[in-house]
Amino acid sequence: MPRRANLGKIPAVDLAYALNRLIQEGKTSLAEVRRFAGERPARIAALERELATLKTGHVGAKRAGRPPGPRAAGAKKSKRKFTMTPKARAAMKRQGQYLAALRRLKVAERNRVKALARKEGVAKATEFARKLAKAAPAKAA
């Protein structure tokens, strides 16, 4: 939300001058000014409705709106339960193993493994990456 400026202490004449200068300098357009001016009555009406609601209290606000429906107590529409197929689960597991195996490799070795993955598949590339990782000496802490 944009930061609000406190313009209450600036005289209206000075505000009009500033607005005209902004329009002349291209910082804002006349259409924007008209749009904001047109929104003013609706904003005032919304604030008056909110004030009336606050004055009457919470009970009056409930009666003023729509009649309560099946979800009036705040019950939310249940989301669809996500079920993963065994095939998709296996693919995700292979992908995770592939990424974990790649993480341990140097850039040149990683590029070799990626090329193999494109050519022969992720499963073979993962095996190859594991072999390369075993062959490489462990990193010093």
Side-chain angles (χ1 to χ4, degrees):
M1 189 165 185
R3 197 180 80 161
R4 295 185 142 198
N6 185 7
L7 300 175
K9 295 180 180 165
I10 301 173
V13 175
D14 292 340
L15 286 175
Y17 171 77
L19 191 59
N20 285 330
R21 286 293 308 263
L22 286 171
I23 291 170
Q24 287 173 359
E25 291 178 13
K27 307 272 186 194
T28 188
S29 68
L30 190 57
E32 285 179 320
V33 174
R34 286 189 176 132
R35 182 173 56 90
F36 284 125
E39 290 174 359
R40 187 172 178 262
R43 176 93 171 112
I44 290 171
L47 288 171
E48 286 174 344
R49 279 193 307 273
E50 188 176 341
L51 184 61
T53 303
L54 288 172
K55 284 181 181 177
T56 59
H58 189 63
V59 177
K62 279 191 171 181
R63 286 192 214 127
R66 259 181 20 192
R71 291 184 253 167
K76 291 184 178 179
K77 184 179 177 184
S78 61
K79 290 186 177 181
R80 180 180 75 86
K81 186 178 178 186
F82 180 73
T83 53
M84 187 179 290
T85 63
K87 186 177 178 181
R89 187 179 307 281
M92 285 185 72
K93 184 176 178 181
R94 273 194 311 273
Q95 180 68 10
Q97 290 171 343
Y98 170 72
L99 291 173
L102 274 184
R103 178 178 254 172
R104 293 178 252 162
L105 302 176
K106 293 181 182 173
V107 176
E109 294 170 336
R110 195 176 295 169
N111 290 334
R112 285 175 53 195
V113 172
K114 285 181 180 181
L116 183 67
R118 280 193 291 280
K119 189 176 180 183
E120 297 185 30
V122 173
K124 287 192 178 182
T126 304
E127 289 176 27
F128 181 59
R130 286 182 181 154
K131 286 179 187 175
L132 287 174
K134 284 183 184 177
K139 292 182 181 177

